[in-house]
Every structure is written in C-alpha cells, then in structure tokens.
Amino acid sequence: MRLRNVPGSRDVIAESPYTIKDETSKKGKWNEIFGNDNPIYIEIGMGKGQFIMELARTNPDKNFVGIEKYSSVLVRALEKQDEEQLPNIYFIRMEAEYIADVFDKDEVSGIYLNFSDPWPKDRHAKRRLTSVQFLERYEKILQKDGHVIFKTDNRPLFDFSLEQAEEAENWVLLNHTFDLHNSEYVEGNIMTEYETKFVEKGNPICRMEIMQK
Ligand code: SAH
C-alpha cells in the first residue's frame, strides 16, 4: 500500500475515544469494554475500515475490533467513526503478531483478513497473515467454532494460504473459491476498499473460509 503520511495522525489516534491504547491490559476484558456479552469479531489489517464499519452498522448485535498497524490509514476510519459513533466497534493500532497478548482464549468469534500484504519473498513467508505461524496465534484467541475468512486477488498468496490451512495440524478448509463474484459466496458479500479497486480492474477475487478441527 502506498502510504501518505497524515500529519498528526498519531495524536488523533491517541485522543480518540474509539481507539484502545493499552491493548494488552484488555485481554479477557473485551465484553466489559463493549458493555455486553455479544460475540466479538476482528479484522486484521483493516486499512481505512470500510468493510468492518459496514459489518458493525449492519450487525448491531455483534461487536467488532478493527486492527491496523499504520496510523495514517487508521485515522481515516476514525474520521468516519467520529461522524457515525457506532456503539459496537473499537480500533487498535498495532502489529498483529502480538494478537494473542490482546485477546484471551475463546474471546474472539471470527477473524477477517482482507487483501493482506503478500510478503512475496520466501524468507518473509511467516509474516503473511495466513501462515501457520499466524494460524497458531489465532488458535489462542478464536473460539473452536469460529471461522477465519480471507479474501485476496493475489493468487500466489491465496495458493500459499490454501496450502498452509492443509499443513496446519489444527485447521480445516471449509470452502474456497477462485472467483468470489461469480460464485455462491457473493451473496451478502461486503466489499473492502481494495476489493472495489481490484474488481474494477477485472481481477478475480479469491475467498476461503477455515476453522479449527
Ligand atoms: N483490508 C483493507 C486494506 C488492505 S491493505 C481492504 O481490503 O481494503 C492491507 C492492510 O493491512 C494495510 O493497511 C496494512 O497496513 C495492514 N497490515 C498488514 N499487515 C499487518 C499486520 N501484521 N498487523 C496489522 N496490520 C497489518
């Protein structure tokens, strides 16, 4: 992603009531933060937040946490949230590697990964959000029947992700498509920013859904 440095975005994030600051102290306490027992869904690498904010809007009986490592894109979601003040969403600026320090066992009901960074070099494979290393982290936070849903237009990354799901001892592939927008799974699909861009270009979108065995 090409990043524009948005001046002051770190300050905006620090001051927003919708961002969680000392996120590791919230482990096991997320339902207290939301003030209800509704299930919690997260998107890792949410960018400007179009997808997860639409989920929050249309699912008031569920809670959402958007995770993004770059302030300059996260701040765009905060601008929207300032206007809308959705009660069922919070944001964290963090590197997803530490996700298991932020959520407790079974605290998360579902994980969305959309157009994640491909890390094309082999030696960076473990940084991909669908690598077995990340799947092991998800095992520590995701309920047994919770799904990880991944969308991308990057075929090599998608093929890698299918392989990883097979290789990982504790995961099973529930379904997948190499062309979401011409498949049964398109029903109810919420477009992300990247998806809109890639669909306009004519790129087929891949999608897979996995869960723990
Ligand atoms: N999900 C959005 C943005 C896709 S770009 C969409 O589909 O439109 C990928 C985003 O993931 C970028 O904003 C990048 O900063 C973020 N990201 C990538 N790796 C991450 C990580 N390890 N931790 C947190 N955010 C990450």
Side-chain angles (χ1 to χ4, degrees):
M1 160 183 268
R2 237 186 22 234
L3 289 174
R4 215 156 50 87
N5 185 28
V6 179
S9 55
R10 289 224 172 206
D11 296 338
V12 173
I13 288 165
E15 282 158 24
S16 170
Y18 306 108
T19 54
I20 301 295
K21 284 81 179 180
D22 45 349
E23 61 273 2
T24 51
S25 71
K26 304 299 187 281
K27 182 169 173 165
K29 298 187 180 140
W30 282 93
N31 281 117
E32 279 172 43
I33 294 174
F34 284 106
N36 60 46
D37 286 332
N38 294 342
I40 297 167
Y41 294 79
I42 67 175
E43 183 185 5
I44 302 180
M46 58 145 213
K48 297 177 187 168
Q50 175 179 307
F51 171 86
I52 194 163
M53 290 186 75
E54 179 60 12
L55 272 180
R57 243 174 247 128
T58 51
N59 293 277
D61 55 341
K62 293 176 178 165
N63 297 319
F64 297 90
V65 180
I67 292 162
E68 170 55 50
K69 67 179 169 188
Y70 284 124
S71 323
S72 48
V73 277
L74 174 53
V75 79
R76 298 297 172 215
L78 294 179
E79 284 167 4
K80 278 181 263 170
Q81 174 64 352
D82 265 343
E83 287 166 26
E84 291 194 46
Q85 307 196 356
L86 298 165
N88 57 336
I89 189 164
Y90 283 101
F91 303 94
I92 314 175
R93 192 192 64 74
M94 67 172 279
E95 162 54 56
E97 208 182 315
Y98 308 109
I99 195 76
D101 298 334
V102 174
F103 296 96
D104 216 343
K105 191 163 168 48
D106 299 333
E107 206 168 18
V108 173
S109 292
I111 301 177
Y112 295 96
L113 307 171
N114 292 314
F115 300 84
S116 310
D117 296 359
W119 294 105
K121 293 196 179 108
D122 281 348
R123 68 188 160 87
H124 289 149
K126 61 179 184 297
R127 297 187 190 175
R128 299 174 193 149
L129 294 181
T130 48
S131 63
V132 288
Q133 288 83 358
F134 268 94
L135 295 182
E136 281 168 12
R137 294 181 183 119
Y138 304 153
E139 285 168 31
K140 294 183 180 151
I141 63 171
L142 184 63
Q143 285 170 5
K144 202 74 176 142
D145 56 355
H147 296 186
V148 174
I149 304 181
F150 171 53
K151 293 196 278 188
T152 184
D153 71 321
N154 186 310
R155 186 60 191 265
L157 176 63
F158 191 68
D159 290 342
F160 167 85
S161 306
L162 289 173
E163 279 166 28
Q164 295 289 286
E166 227 162 78
E167 245 173 62
E169 253 171 59
N170 300 328
W171 292 83
V172 52
L173 179 65
L174 295 174
N175 58 66
H176 71 288
T177 170
F178 298 105
D179 190 2
L180 170 62
H181 290 267
N182 290 299
S183 79
E184 61 187 294
Y185 303 107
V186 75
E187 205 189 306
N189 182 53
I190 294 177
M191 298 279 276
T192 82
E193 275 113 355
Y194 273 49
E195 188 172 359
T196 307
K197 210 164 63 181
F198 293 134
V199 166
E200 274 170 16
K201 274 197 190 169
N203 299 2
I205 307 298
C206 303
R207 180 189 187 274
M208 71 178 214
E209 206 162 329
I210 60 175
M211 74 182 282
Q212 297 171 81
K213 277 181 191 158

